[in-house]
Amino acid sequence: MKKIAFLFSKSPYGSSKCQDLLDLSLSISFYFEEIALFFVGDGIFQILKNQNPKKIFSNNFSKSFSVFKLCKVSNIYLCKNSLKQRGIISYKNFFMNTFILNSKLFKNKLDLFEAVINC
């Protein structure tokens, strides 16, 4: 069976692309056993808790990431360098459990997947 990675690299608001990728990844998680979620750059903001997008007239779809627990998706990776660049020092502020990898390990892990879908 094909191994599919979803790469979230954009901020959660300002476009519907990231929400579309979230919806796609949730749908595919029911059909494929080996999927993973990768968060890099501004994409790390996708899974931060305590967001208040109503101030910018947006919906908070990020809470939907917690559904992956029900789908038994546990391969969730964050780029440590992206966290550091954005001043995020607490690794407990996310909707789900994650693996935090440096840039090299992050890329190596991503290269293990046959298909990568990016937003």
Side-chain angles (χ1 to χ4, degrees):
M1 186 148 297
K2 198 169 228 183
K3 294 169 66 172
I4 301 174
F6 295 92
L7 180 63
F8 294 85
S9 59
K10 307 248 185 298
S11 67
Y13 307 108
S15 168
S16 66
K17 290 180 184 178
C18 294
Q19 185 171 3
D20 293 342
L21 186 61
L22 169 63
D23 294 343
L24 177 65
S25 60
L26 280 169
S27 299
I28 287 179
S29 70
F30 292 106
Y31 300 102
F32 290 88
E33 290 181 20
E34 184 122 19
I35 73 161
L37 308 178
F38 290 82
F39 298 87
V40 66
D42 287 342
I44 60 170
F45 294 121
Q46 300 274 347
I47 60 171
L48 278 177
K49 290 180 182 176
N50 302 321
Q51 296 183 34
N52 190 3
K54 288 183 181 181
K55 290 183 177 184
I56 57 169
F57 306 105
S58 292
N59 293 322
N60 189 357
F61 67 88
S62 294
K63 291 180 181 180
S64 300
F65 281 104
S66 58
V67 173
F68 283 104
K69 292 176 189 174
L70 300 174
C71 303
K72 297 182 181 174
V73 173
S74 58
N75 297 323
I76 302 162
Y77 304 98
L78 295 175
C79 178
K80 186 175 187 174
N81 298 15
S82 295
L83 293 169
K84 190 175 182 181
Q85 289 172 349
R86 284 150 185 83
I88 299 172
I89 53 174
S90 173
Y91 299 154
K92 297 178 181 181
N93 248 357
F94 303 109
F95 284 113
M96 53 197 149
N97 294 329
T98 61
F99 296 100
I100 298 174
L101 306 174
N102 67 37
S103 293
K104 184 176 180 179
L105 290 174
F106 188 88
K107 183 187 179 323
N108 290 345
K109 185 62 89 170
L110 189 59
D111 286 343
L112 296 175
F113 289 82
E114 299 167 79
V116 177
I117 304 171
N118 183 12
C119 100

